[in-house]
Amino acid sequence: MNRGASFLTEIVHDCAEFERLGPEWTALYRRCATATPFQSYAWLHSWWLSYGRPGALRVVLVRRPDGTPAGAAALMRAPGPLPALTALGGAITDFTDVLLDDSCPEAAPALAGALARAARGAVIDLREVRPGAAAERVYAAWHGPRRRLPDSLCLELPAVPMEALLERIPSGKAQRVRAKLRKMDALGIDQRIVPAAEVPGALERLLRLHRLQWQGRGVTAEHTSERFAQHLARAVRPMVERGDAMVTEFRLGGDVVCADLTLMSPRLAGGYLYGADPELRARKVDVAAMLLRHGARETSASGRATLSMLRGTEPYKHHWRPETVPNQRLMMAAPGSAPLLWLRAGAANGRRWAAGQAREREWLGRAVGRLRGAAGTPDGGGG
C-alpha cells in the first residue's frame, strides 16, 4: 500500500483479496450516486469469476487515512500487443465506471494519480462510460495524454407511468398500444416479482425462454453460454437482495411464458435480458409493450428518474421517442506512454469507421432489394 498526499493507494491482484473487499466495495457503491448496477460488487466479482484471466486483475483503491475507501476502479490487464488496463465487465456490461465517494471531492484526483501509478506504461481504456459518470471526474483530473472517443448509443425514457409514455407517441399509435394492452389483460397474463430465494430457478427459466425465443434466428452467442449462466446465477440473487436487480415472471394459465431481468441503481433502471415463449407471438401479444408497462410502473413508483433501454438502437425502441444518449470511451496514459495511446485510439477509430461502412453497405443492400422488389425485378437480375 502506497501513501500519496492524504490518501493511501492499494492495488489488488489476487482474487481472494478482491473477494474480501465485498463489504467495503458495497458501502462505497452506495456513496457514489452516479454508479450503475454494473459497478455493484456482486456484478463485478461474479464477472471476474466467469471471465477473468489469472494474473490480470488490477483493482485500484484510494483510502482515507482511517482506511475508508474514497475511490475504486476494477480493472484488468487486457490481452493484445498494446498494453492496456480495461474495466471488468467486458461486452456483457452496458455501462463502465469507477466509484468515487460523493462526500470527498479530493477522491477524483487521488484516484487519477493511483491509476497512473498502476498503469505502469499501459493505457487505461474505459469503454461504455455514461455521461455524468464518476470516470469523467477522473478524466478531468488526469495529468497526461488522454482521448475521448464516441462509443455505443443508448436509448432512455423518463421514469413515468405507462399513460405518460403513451403521450409521447402519436395518438393513433397510442390507441393501438392501449388496445394491445387490453387484449393482453383479457388473456389473463399476470406478473410476479420473484423473491430473492427463488431467483436461481427463475433465471434458469428466463434463459430457457430466451433460447426458445431466438431459436432459428440470430442470437447473442454469449447469452447461451454456460459461463454467462453461471455469472447471472452468482450475481443476480445478491443484487435482488440489495435492491440492485429485479426478476419478473409473466404467467398464462399457470405457465411462465415470459421472464425479465431488470438492473437498478438509485437513478435508473434498465431492462437487461428477457425471454418470451413464441406462443405469445402466435397470440399477437406485444411483449415489448408488456415489459415496458411493467418497467415503467416499477421504475416510476421507486422514484428513479430514468428508464433505460440500455445499449442498442433497435427500431422497436424508437416507437417510444426515447432520448439518444451516447456512451463514451475514455483513454488515459502517462506522458511517456503517449505513443501507445495514439496507436490504441487510432485502432479504435479505424474499427469504428469500418463498422460504419459495413452498416452503410448493409443498409444500401436492403434499400436496393426493396426497390427491385417494388419494380418486380428478381434479386440478382441484370440489365
Side-chain angles (χ1 to χ4, degrees):
M1 187 176 291
N2 298 320
R3 185 179 299 272
S6 58
F7 290 91
L8 305 173
T9 299
E10 180 182 357
I11 302 176
V12 171
H13 299 81
D14 182 71
C15 186
E17 291 181 57
F18 187 24
E19 187 169 354
R20 287 193 289 271
L21 288 176
E24 289 184 308
W25 191 281
T26 299
L28 178 58
Y29 172 75
R30 299 299 178 202
R31 299 194 298 272
C32 183
T34 57
T36 75
F38 300 105
Q39 282 74 62
S40 69
Y41 176 79
W43 183 269
L44 292 171
H45 182 253
S46 176
W47 184 92
W48 175 256
L49 292 178
S50 280
Y51 297 91
R53 296 179 298 106
L57 187 65
R58 302 288 189 278
V59 178
V60 181
L61 298 100
V62 291
R63 297 177 180 273
R64 292 186 174 95
D66 65 0
T68 304
L75 306 175
M76 62 179 285
R77 193 88 176 185
L82 300 179
L85 294 182
T86 58
L88 302 193
I92 65 169
T93 291
D94 288 72
F95 300 127
T96 285
D97 203 359
V98 301
L99 296 180
L100 293 173
D101 188 331
D102 293 330
S103 68
C104 183
E106 302 87 1
L111 185 57
L115 289 172
R117 291 189 291 274
R120 292 185 179 178
V123 175
I124 295 173
D125 188 353
L126 303 181
R127 299 287 309 268
E128 308 297 358
V129 176
R130 192 168 182 267
E136 289 188 327
R137 284 179 272 161
V138 172
Y139 185 82
W142 190 263
H143 296 296
R146 56 187 183 170
R147 286 291 303 274
R148 187 192 303 260
L149 305 176
D151 220 327
S152 301
L153 297 179
C154 301
L155 298 179
E156 295 183 354
L157 291 166
V160 295
M162 189 65 172
E163 272 304 312
L165 292 179
L166 288 170
E167 293 174 2
R168 300 171 63 89
I169 63 179
S171 59
K173 184 178 291 186
Q175 289 300 328
R176 289 192 292 274
V177 173
R178 290 187 183 96
K180 290 178 179 179
L181 293 174
R182 287 194 297 268
K183 178 180 178 181
M184 185 189 314
D185 294 337
L187 281 174
I189 298 176
D190 57 30
Q191 58 203 37
R192 170 179 172 266
I193 296 175
V194 178
E198 299 176 29
V199 162
L203 289 174
E204 290 180 7
R205 290 188 288 273
L206 187 158
L207 291 172
R208 178 182 60 80
L209 287 168
H210 186 73
R211 290 191 296 269
L212 192 63
Q213 166 191 338
W214 289 99
Q215 196 170 39
R217 300 185 292 157
V219 63
T220 302
E222 188 56 38
H223 290 166
T224 66
S225 72
E226 181 59 27
R227 64 179 181 178
F228 180 73
Q230 291 174 354
H231 163 61
L232 290 186
R234 281 189 303 265
V236 174
R237 178 171 177 170
M239 292 177 76
V240 168
E241 290 172 343
R242 296 187 177 100
D244 298 325
M246 175 176 65
V247 179
T248 306
E249 291 188 330
F250 300 80
R251 295 176 179 264
L252 178 61
D255 296 325
V256 176
V257 292
C258 183
D260 172 75
L261 169 60
T262 294
L263 304 184
M264 304 179 295
S265 67
R267 294 189 178 183
L268 64 80
Y272 180 72
L273 189 72
Y274 77 93
D277 193 316
E279 174 66 17
L280 292 179
R281 288 202 304 272
R283 289 174 175 258
K284 308 297 184 185
V285 173
D286 188 333
V287 174
M290 179 178 74
L291 294 174
L292 184 63
R293 178 173 67 171
H294 174 68
R297 179 169 56 241
E298 295 298 326
T299 306
S300 59
S302 68
R304 294 176 173 86
T306 301
L307 179 58
S308 176
M309 298 178 177
L310 302 181
R311 289 180 297 174
T313 58
E314 295 86 349
Y316 77 89
K317 296 180 180 179
H318 284 282
H319 294 169
W320 302 95
R321 296 188 172 177
E323 178 186 359
T324 300
V325 180
N327 283 349
Q328 54 200 322
R329 183 173 185 172
L330 303 182
M331 293 185 181
M332 297 165 280
S337 301
L340 286 174
L341 186 145
W342 308 137
L343 282 171
R344 192 169 181 89
N349 279 328
R351 286 191 296 270
R352 189 174 184 84
W353 178 86
Q357 292 295 303
R359 286 192 297 270
E360 184 174 339
R361 286 194 298 271
E362 182 181 356
W363 180 87
L364 286 172
R366 289 198 302 267
V368 169
R370 287 193 295 269
L371 287 172
R372 284 176 171 166
T377 302
D379 285 349

